[in-house]
Amino acid sequence: MSGEDFWDREVSSVPFHATNWMQNPTIHDYINASIGTPEHPMWPLDWFQAWLGRRHFARALSIGCGTGALERDLVRRNLCDRVDAFDGSLASLAIAREESRRAAMDRRIGYFASDFNRPALPRRQYDMVLVHQAMHHVAKLEKLMRAILLVLKPEGLLYLDEYIGPSRHEWTEERYAAQRTFFATIPRESVYVTSLPYPIVPQDPSEAFRSSEIVPQLQIGFDVVAFRGYGGNLLAPIVPAVDWNLAPKNLLARLIQSERDLLASGAAPFHALIVARPKRALSKRLASWRYFTEPKLKRIGRELRSIRPKP
């Protein structure tokens, strides 16, 4: 099953392991406090608008738009005059178009289908590019990063709200120890599974494909000007596995505190809001060259190793 087929199906059917861990109001508060401060909690777009000040964007591009909630929010906030958006799921795009029409926003939002791994985008057309929980599904990160670098105007911004934790092939028992240790403390009658599975959706081959490489790849072509980590290290894999109707009353508070303690000990957050600017002049040209050539050089290296005679 391709990634596009999976998400076409997921529009109407979501298994427990794909349930959004952020839906709980208490977790909303935790995320808001992580992105803002405990004294001034802020949801991601609220924080972004406050960080921007009075800045307004004429034209924005949303990558991996799904059913279009982000684009409608941008227009509702009057943050952008015009938003173009694309996704690989035709079912999601159909919903997005209908919802924008119902909200009388269809003149300000335009949707089209495209592949994250083969983006065909114009150059220097957008003041802002937004990617919301989509980049961790991309196999050809360099190609998408290069497309974003070239599609942005020199003073443009990239807004990235993303899972940046371990890639799907990087999970080990050692790396998953904190999650399974906490899970083992939950009463058995309160959970859907006896052993916490790795946080990978097996049916989606694109899930967390190269997620751990997102920030290193970003830094090749962009300068990160804001980074707001908001965890998900324990919450994202554990929350969907719990039957909260049967869970102890203090379980969620204990889980959130354990995640805070884990991050305070130096663990990198699995989810983050990142704002970045494209590099300029020679640095931009060098980054574009690296994005273009390095995947090809890696492929040649793999091919040479595969035909090398065994000793």
Side-chain angles (χ1 to χ4, degrees):
M1 178 185 293
S2 70
E4 290 82 2
D5 291 340
F6 173 82
W7 286 107
D8 278 346
R9 190 189 68 182
E10 290 302 284
V11 169
S12 58
S13 175
V14 182
F16 94 84
H17 52 255
T19 301
N20 192 331
W21 63 280
M22 305 178 196
Q23 290 175 344
N24 184 289
T26 302
I27 296 176
H28 273 209
D29 294 341
Y30 163 72
I31 293 172
N32 291 355
S34 301
I35 290 175
T37 65
E39 296 77 21
H40 300 286
M42 305 183 80
W43 194 242
L45 271 182
D46 294 328
W47 175 89
F48 182 57
Q49 279 194 282
W51 181 84
L52 282 172
R54 295 179 177 272
R55 185 167 179 180
H56 178 85
F57 299 95
R59 192 176 180 191
L61 174 68
S62 176
I63 296 175
C65 59
T67 55
L70 177 61
E71 298 79 61
R72 295 191 296 275
D73 199 7
L74 292 171
V75 171
R76 194 176 296 114
R77 293 166 180 266
N78 204 31
L79 187 57
C80 304
D81 293 331
R82 167 78 184 184
V83 185
D84 297 325
F86 75 82
D87 200 277
S89 167
L90 298 181
S92 295
L93 288 172
I95 294 172
R97 290 190 182 100
E98 177 60 19
E99 290 298 322
S100 69
R101 185 193 65 78
R102 287 182 181 177
M105 297 178 180
D106 47 322
R107 291 187 177 182
R108 295 178 64 182
I109 306 174
Y111 291 104
F112 62 100
S114 190
D115 185 345
F116 301 148
N117 293 298
R118 301 177 185 85
L121 301 172
R123 297 197 176 193
R124 296 192 177 192
Q125 292 295 309
Y126 293 99
D127 305 289
M128 177 169 63
V129 171
L130 304 99
V131 188
H132 183 267
Q133 300 299 331
M135 196 169 283
H136 68 275
H137 293 281
V138 176
K140 298 183 178 180
L141 271 178
E142 296 89 350
K143 186 168 286 190
L144 181 60
M145 291 285 189
R146 183 172 185 265
I148 295 171
L149 179 67
L150 297 178
V151 81
L152 275 170
K153 294 178 181 179
E155 298 298 330
L157 288 177
L158 170 60
Y159 172 99
L160 183 64
D161 188 343
E162 194 57 73
Y163 169 72
I164 56 172
S167 302
R168 63 185 299 122
H169 63 278
E170 293 175 338
W171 286 108
T172 63
E173 289 301 306
E174 181 180 3
R175 175 165 274 174
Y176 210 42
Q179 289 80 359
R180 284 192 167 149
T181 297
F182 187 96
F183 186 75
T185 70
I186 303 173
R188 295 301 89 188
E189 64 272 15
S190 302
V191 296
Y192 295 118
V193 290
T194 56
S195 177
L196 187 68
Y198 289 145
I200 300 165
V201 182
Q203 298 90 336
D204 180 7
S206 71
E207 177 66 28
F209 199 84
R210 295 175 63 188
S211 50
S212 67
E213 299 178 58
I214 289 174
V215 172
Q217 287 293 332
L218 177 70
Q219 291 171 333
I220 292 173
F222 299 82
D223 294 317
V224 174
V225 294
F227 183 100
R228 309 298 295 174
Y230 58 91
N233 300 45
L234 298 182
L235 286 162
I238 293 175
V239 165
V242 175
D243 184 343
W244 292 99
N245 293 317
L246 301 176
K249 291 184 178 180
N250 70 336
L251 178 61
L252 187 55
R254 188 163 61 87
L255 179 56
I256 289 173
Q257 187 57 53
S258 294
E259 179 162 293
R260 284 195 173 109
D261 293 343
L262 181 66
L263 295 173
S265 72
F270 284 0
H271 291 260
L273 172 60
I274 304 170
V275 182
R277 292 193 178 100
K279 292 186 176 179
R280 304 181 67 176
L282 179 59
S283 296
K284 179 179 179 178
R285 290 193 292 272
L286 288 173
S288 178
W289 178 83
R290 283 189 62 182
Y291 285 144
F292 183 77
T293 59
E294 287 186 0
K296 295 175 174 56
L297 294 174
K298 290 177 183 177
R299 186 180 67 248
I300 291 171
R302 288 193 299 269
E303 291 172 353
L304 290 174
R305 287 192 296 272
S306 68
I307 61 175
R308 184 180 301 164
K310 294 183 180 180

